[in-house]
Amino acid sequence: MIHFIEVAKQYSTWAGDRVILFPTSLSIPTNRGVAVLGRNGSGKSTLLRMIAGVETPDHGRIIRTVSVSWPLGFSGGMSVHMTGRQNARFIARINHVDEDDLIAFVEDFSELGPYMDEPVATYSSGMFGRLSFGISLGIDFDFYLIDEGTSTGDQWFQEKCAQAFAERRRKSSGLLLVSHNAQSVEQYCDIGMVLYRGHLVPFTDLDEAVRFYVHG
Amino acid sequence: MNDIDEAISALAAGAYPQADGILTALGAGKPAAAARTRILWAITQVLCRKFGDGVEAILEVADRAPNRDESIYRMVLSAVGPLESLLSAEAAQEVRLRIGDYFLREEKAEEARAWLAAAFAADREDPLAIYLEANCRFALYGERQAVCDMEIVLERAAAESDRAYFIAGGTAALWYRLGIAHDRLRNLEVAAEYLADAVAIDPENDSQRLLLGDVLIRLGRFGAAIELLSPIPKFADNYRYAARLRAVALYRIGETEEALALLEEVAEIDPLGALTFLEMGRVYLERGDAERAELALARAFRTNPELPGLKSAIGTLERQLGRHMDADAGLPDPQDFAVPEAFAPRLDDAALLQRASLIAGIASHLRVLRAIILRDMLIRYEHSGIGYMWALVQPLVYIAILDAIYNIIGHPPVIGNSNLQFLISGLLPLLCFYIRVESAVSGSIMENVNLLYFREVTPLAMIFANWLREYLTSLVVFVIIVGGLALYDGSLEMSDPLTVILALTAMSVIGMVIGTFFGLGRLVIPGLDLAETVIFRLMFFFSGALFVGNMIPPRLRYWALFNPVFHLIEFVRNGYFTTYHDSYVDWHYPLTCIGVGLVLMMATLHAVRRRVVAP
């Protein structure tokens, strides 16, 4: 479970304060596929980053009772001056998993071949995503956070990820997905939340959430 | 003769089912098979008209190939050699055409190019090879000449189309592709003719029908478009597209109500189809119904903000409204919703009541520290030991230069037996334990801010790890240089090593605190580097690295004593030389500075925690 206890967040911009989330208390089930729907600029990514612990709420607390991945996507997180292998080693060390096992998994999953030993700065965004997803899938998280807002991964890799996540779902891992892509939302998720006007409105049925989000 | 050779001779003889049997018995149908066997099997499948299996196997082998930049054609050739050496000329040509055509249809013209260029080179009179190679050129470069080349051989290629097309499209695909090409070249009339031919040959193919409908609408032949699109039934996958196009045509001939009803119907079937809402918005905009247009365009924006044409429609709407569009238009007040049971706050969750184990917490922090230190060492000292040598060489160079200057001007030793000892007891600690630590910590915050992407890594861990790494490095450098000098002239006295170590450690902690402030400051204030340099110079000048307390006038000493580093350097000397004792300095002042500094540092880190986040 991920517990939101009176969590609030806003941004101060030159145009004034913008509320991402009014004080919200709810518990997100972590054994489900959860979609977060919201228009551009509604603060979906910020919400995801708060759940991941990259950003701190202004008020309230987010408590994770299971292991939660970092926000997966096609940007962020990796040190661009280090090679794919070195990044994997670093992440293995902070997450207390066997370095060589993780690297073996990443090599097999992301199929970067010789690029594993090239600096991440030379990667295309697709390769970056492959590395990031590969490393996180190699560490058995209970709950994966995926930001597909900037996703451009190729078809082949998306299918591979879909398979890997489907397998995780069978092992009762969950995921939370932020996406515009209706197809991937339907593929990965079964419940949904709509974020708008600073409120997070949860639905126990994904179709209901999608319909609400579009039609009101 | 082994099994593989047997299969190869069966292939050469044109006995494809036999070759298939042998290869399948060898396990070539499974992904685990060796690349060469697998490709041979794939080619056999293509020739046995089991095209899907063949292509899938080739793509799978290409995916696991070590060099993924290489084209699939090259990969196949390097696995099995030239196709002609394996198959009869006709069979080789058929394989090339089919696979090339497959990539063309999959919109992978780059991959198709090698196959089709080879097919064209093998037989320059083959109408299918000419047609497909030209089609590929058009897909890649948009050449007008390529379209002419396709047109010239169209009829002849159609006569032989079963050599390449057999998954979908059939002969109609030849006309369809010319239609697509002319549509891209904006020759709408010609495109419509080719597409009409394609629809006539294969009336069941909805893609052809849809494109023709679209072209007809752009040509202004709305009636024809409606007639053409009506036969696509409701249960067809493409119904939503056909209905949308029909709605646009209906609207153009003035059947606005019918058009809107059709669009509403499509929106029900396909709630995330942004284009439907855009069309709806356009209809309402032209009717002057800004309120409904806003509802529709807001929906389009919510489903796909990057939809082409949406921006300009929103612009028109905002001019009509005289305000910004409300992108949440149509959504009810979120406060009216009760949280469903599945999401109800569960503060009785047993996991919430568990207290975090202190030991596990400490172990986790230590792991993170180790990981950051190892990572930074890798970045800084990546190329063998050169980076590490620099940590030793840099202070040695400074000391050597100053020592040379002292010798040239005939400066007598300030304390101890030589200038070298004076420099090693003052300048060296300052360079290693203060300046080095300060700049490493201050730089690390900006450099490593993306590590904060991982929840386990905190700014404090980053700072502490950098301090620890530089502190330990400096200790090693200090011991090497002091030890080296002792071996060189046998002059080491070191009356009180404990005082020296304590003073060096304290100095590095001051470096860490100051480095943290500047590192954080630089994230917020871009021009802070200059201030850092000025304060640095002042601290350096008043540090006592190049003079001792007894040497300077009392007024200057009064100011120097405000610098905690001055106190600490004097303590290093007190501990280093048996003969030197400076009574001006005391431990209270630098230790108080460190205490206050650490408290301020922690408070600042807490205060700026919302600004120091991974990008």
Side-chain angles (χ1 to χ4, degrees), chain B residues 271-547:
Chain B
L272 288 173
L275 193 55
T276 316
F277 299 118
L278 175 59
E279 296 293 2
M280 230 187 257
R282 280 177 177 154
V283 174
Y284 285 124
L285 271 181
E286 284 189 31
R287 266 177 144 196
D289 188 345
E291 201 179 315
R292 290 209 169 139
E294 184 179 24
L295 278 179
L297 292 179
R299 284 174 183 175
F301 181 78
R302 292 203 292 265
T303 31
N304 181 5
E306 278 108 39
L307 184 69
L310 179 59
K311 222 174 195 172
S312 72
I314 292 177
T316 315
L317 171 74
E318 291 185 340
R319 274 192 298 281
Q320 279 191 19
L321 287 171
R323 62 169 168 84
H324 284 300
M325 180 185 80
D326 175 12
D328 293 325
L331 293 180
D333 190 343
Q335 276 163 308
D336 295 346
F337 288 88
V339 174
E341 185 49 36
F343 290 90
R346 285 198 177 66
L347 298 182
D348 53 345
D349 188 340
L352 273 183
L353 302 171
Q354 273 174 15
R355 278 182 172 257
S357 144
L358 184 67
I359 294 170
I362 291 173
S364 149
H365 282 302
L366 289 178
R367 259 201 317 272
V368 172
L369 277 184
R370 173 174 171 269
I372 300 177
I373 290 175
L374 288 174
R375 172 188 172 279
D376 286 347
M377 277 166 59
L378 201 78
I379 291 180
R380 269 157 214 264
Y381 308 119
E382 201 184 1
H383 303 293
S384 61
I386 292 173
Y388 260 118
M389 288 307 289
W390 184 240
L392 181 64
V393 169
Q394 195 193 22
L396 275 179
V397 168
Y398 275 105
I399 290 170
I401 291 173
L402 277 169
D403 189 48
I405 292 172
Y406 281 157
N407 283 341
I408 289 165
I409 60 174
H411 193 279
V414 183
I415 39 172
N417 302 327
S418 67
N419 281 318
L420 217 47
Q421 279 194 338
F422 167 66
L423 290 170
I424 284 175
S425 66
L427 185 64
L428 182 63
L430 184 80
L431 286 175
C432 288
F433 288 88
Y434 178 71
I435 295 181
R436 231 183 119 77
V437 172
E438 199 272 354
S439 68
V441 170
S442 139
S444 77
I445 293 175
M446 189 92 96
E447 278 168 30
N448 290 348
V449 80
N450 64 343
L451 289 190
L452 296 174
Y453 211 72
F454 303 105
R455 188 170 47 254
E456 294 78 7
V457 182
T458 59
L460 188 62
M462 269 164 30
I463 290 162
F464 194 68
N466 271 281
W467 168 76
L468 190 61
R469 187 194 67 237
E470 292 304 321
Y471 173 67
L472 294 176
T473 309
S474 295
L475 266 187
V476 172
V477 168
F478 189 75
V479 168
I480 290 175
I481 293 180
V482 170
L485 185 72
L487 286 177
Y488 172 67
D489 63 0
S491 63
L492 182 68
E493 17 187 345
M494 191 74 79
S495 63
D496 186 358
L498 190 64
T499 303
V500 174
I501 296 279
L502 271 178
L504 293 179
T505 310
M507 214 184 303
S508 72
V509 175
I510 293 180
M512 173 180 79
V513 172
I514 305 242
T516 303
F517 282 121
F518 279 113
L520 292 175
R522 262 196 266 167
L523 282 181
V524 190
I525 311 161
L528 206 69
D529 294 28
L530 189 70
E532 191 176 0
T533 316
V534 171
I535 293 184
F536 222 86
R537 294 276 151 80
L538 278 175
M539 295 252 320
F540 184 81
F541 186 73
F542 286 110
S543 68
L546 300 178
F547 55 82

Side-chain angles (χ1 to χ4, degrees), chain B residues 38-82:
Chain B
R38 194 105 170 94
I39 297 281
L40 281 176
W41 181 80
I43 291 173
T44 315
Q45 301 309 304
V46 171
L47 291 166
C48 286
R49 309 275 152 137
K50 285 185 271 180
F51 188 74
D53 294 346
V55 165
E56 205 173 290
I58 289 176
L59 290 178
E60 180 262 315
V61 177
D63 259 347
R64 63 178 148 112
N67 182 3
R68 297 185 59 190
D69 293 337
E70 194 181 62
S71 78
I72 292 178
Y73 182 68
R74 288 251 138 255
M75 187 274 297
V76 168
L77 288 203
S78 52
V80 297

Side-chain angles (χ1 to χ4, degrees), chain B residues 243-244 246-248 250-251 254-268 276-285 287 289 292-293 296:
Chain B
R244 191 155 56 213
R246 234 167 69 211
V248 174
L250 281 169
Y251 172 65
E255 301 284 349
T256 313
E257 290 309 320
E258 209 180 324
L260 284 172
L262 205 52
L263 287 173
E264 289 288 356
E265 189 193 326
V266 179
E268 273 301 311
T276 316
F277 299 118
L278 175 59
E279 296 293 2
M280 230 187 257
R282 280 177 177 154
V283 174
Y284 285 124
L285 271 181
R287 266 177 144 196
D289 188 345
R292 290 209 169 139

